[in-house]
Amino acid sequence: MIWWIGHFLAAGIGVSLGLIGGGGSVLALPILVYVLGVPTKAAIPMTLIIVGTVSVLGLIPHWRSGNVNFKAATVFGLATMVGAYAGARLAVWVPGTVQLLLFGLLMFLAALFMIRKGRRRPPPEDALAYYPKPICRWCWLWLPTEGLGVGLMTGLVGVGGGFAIVPALVLLAKVPIKEAIGTSLLVIALNSVTGFMGYLGQVDINYPLMISMTLAASLGTLPGAYLSRYVSAQQLQKGFGYFLLAMAAFVLFQNRPQPTKAAHPPSHGPLASSGKSVPFHHYSS
């Protein structure tokens, strides 16, 4: 039963992609960990394959419309790929709880971004921007630096990072918003694959489950694309942002630091009179 619930939710990831163009893939890790019981270390590389595959599916219509900037994808993507591989290799030294805390924080930021974007009125066709205009002449030089950071987070916690990639392409590389969205999907696909390669040999991956979850998410894009004709994507983004906010709060709460307490020796009784100390045990409150 749990298997079917997990795959039904995975299909919802694809539906969200078809409806709002992305964001839903961030739910892959919580589904694997909290619904299907996959250990965090194994769930992250599985998430990368799901995120990468769904990003490729979302990339296709942008590519056909000519909204992919391959030059920017090369500059930014090479840096994110290096960062993703490094993050994956570094992950072996990071506790799973810390990875989930970082993931929760990034999910929180993504949720705030979606809510903010959903509240705004659609921009004029000639503006094509939810972001300010480029702020400096040589901003593109910062692209590799931010790419390394985004890639590092992708490899470490399994997030695509589209909410950070799109503004970077608009502000730093002076890429128009439509091209930035399509280009970001290509970058996400590239660093997802590289991050997955960094995990190979470090964790035991459930390949049948990974493949079936990826197929479920991919199939979900079909009804999502159909429903997008009848539903306002802007309102959905706002509602989905609040849902992500609740999920981020759940992940952060589940992985909050657990203080340990030591038992105090009794003030009365034979142990107190004998001067012996009471053995103490650590426990989670």
Side-chain angles (χ1 to χ4, degrees), residues 83-167:
Y85 188 84
R89 305 304 292 185
L90 177 66
V92 70
W93 305 103
V94 180
T97 301
V98 174
Q99 287 177 283
L100 287 174
L101 280 173
L102 289 173
F103 174 82
L105 290 173
L106 290 173
M107 181 185 275
F108 183 81
L109 292 176
L112 292 179
F113 173 79
M114 293 190 75
I115 293 170
R116 177 172 173 266
K117 189 176 178 182
R119 283 178 175 173
R120 294 190 176 188
R121 294 180 180 179
E125 291 185 5
D126 58 343
L128 297 175
Y130 284 105
Y131 311 99
K133 293 181 179 180
I135 55 179
C136 60
R137 183 178 181 183
W138 304 104
C139 285
W140 63 271
L141 292 173
W142 289 98
L143 272 180
T145 303
E146 181 164 343
L148 283 171
V150 172
L152 189 68
M153 287 296 101
T154 296
L156 194 58
V157 301
V159 295
F163 66 94
I165 296 173
V166 173

Side-chain angles (χ1 to χ4, degrees), residues 177-188:
I177 185 67
K178 282 188 175 180
E179 286 188 16
I181 294 172
T183 305
S184 72
L185 293 171
L186 175 58
V187 172
I188 291 170

Side-chain angles (χ1 to χ4, degrees), residues 19-20 114 227-228 231-241:
L19 284 173
I20 61 177
M114 293 190 75
L227 292 173
S228 65
V231 184
S232 170
Q234 187 180 16
Q235 290 301 316
L236 283 173
Q237 278 189 331
K238 183 179 177 181
F240 190 73

